[in-house]
Amino acid sequence: MSEKQSNVVEAPQENVLSITRVFDAPRHLVFEPWTKTEHLKQWFAPRDFTIPKLEGDYRPGGAWLSVMKSPKGDEMQMGGIYQEVVPDEKLVFTHAWDEEFGGTGHETIITVTFADKDGKTLMNFHQATFTSREIRDDHNDGWTQFFDHLAEYLAQG
């Protein structure tokens, strides 16, 4: 008898992005801006970008779409499908840059978890799998700016 082999393939860590942030707000107030269009429009872009279009159906199987406009006027569109939505705890959704806007169409999976931490919220962000370390690093820079915006937005009350 032969042993049954598993076909599990693990992504190289260099092609995975993980960011941990602590926000000075209760978990519900950190989760909600991820799942309501009126909140996302306030923070879901890098610094100095605007969001001329953003829509989403924030439930498993629902689609989301965001168009960001750079200070130079260039537009970039990204979107995906929600796979899992656990209020105040977890979001899982796909993410891809639209090819018509200069993206590759390569799809990644984003998982965001939220936990209480000393009256604040610990957010763990995970995105995989990227096609290169350089693309991962570009996303790290972008998401870091997104999360800075989220912290500023939460501080406004």
Side-chain angles (χ1 to χ4, degrees):
M1 272 175 77
S2 65
E3 287 185 31
K4 193 172 187 179
Q5 292 188 347
S6 172
N7 290 331
V8 174
V9 176
E10 291 192 25
Q13 288 303 309
E14 68 184 33
N15 293 342
V16 174
L17 175 60
S18 293
I19 300 172
T20 299
R21 292 283 292 256
V22 175
F23 293 96
D24 191 11
R27 188 166 31 144
H28 175 74
L29 294 181
V30 178
F31 178 85
E32 190 172 82
W34 282 88
T35 59
K36 295 200 174 176
T37 302
E38 66 269 20
H39 294 301
L40 278 164
K41 284 184 176 184
Q42 302 302 313
W43 69 271
F44 201 68
R47 198 159 299 288
D48 299 325
F49 280 63
T50 58
I51 306 169
K53 182 176 183 179
L54 192 141
E55 53 192 47
D57 182 3
Y58 310 105
R59 61 182 175 82
W64 68 277
L65 174 99
S66 179
V67 175
M68 299 185 305
K69 190 171 188 176
S70 76
K72 294 179 182 178
D74 298 326
E75 288 191 348
M76 295 161 271
Q77 181 172 297
M78 60 182 162
I81 304 292
Y82 285 93
Q83 297 180 340
E84 187 175 351
V85 178
V86 180
D88 301 339
E89 293 181 19
K90 185 178 185 180
L91 291 170
V92 180
F93 55 95
T94 61
H95 175 285
W97 292 99
D98 192 315
E99 293 176 51
E100 290 181 36
F101 289 81
T104 63
H106 175 75
E107 187 173 85
T108 58
I109 304 290
I110 294 175
T111 302
V112 188
T113 60
F114 306 84
D116 295 325
K117 182 179 174 81
D118 303 322
K120 299 178 181 182
T121 301
L122 175 69
M123 183 195 78
N124 286 304
F125 175 93
H126 183 268
Q127 186 174 10
T129 301
F130 292 99
T131 56
S132 72
R133 180 183 301 155
E134 292 76 23
I135 293 172
R136 180 210 57 200
D137 291 348
D138 286 346
H139 279 79
N140 182 60
D141 293 342
W143 284 114
T144 297
Q145 290 183 48
F146 279 52
F147 300 150
D148 290 346
H149 278 167
L150 177 57
E152 293 164 8
Y153 181 64
L154 292 168
Q156 295 172 9

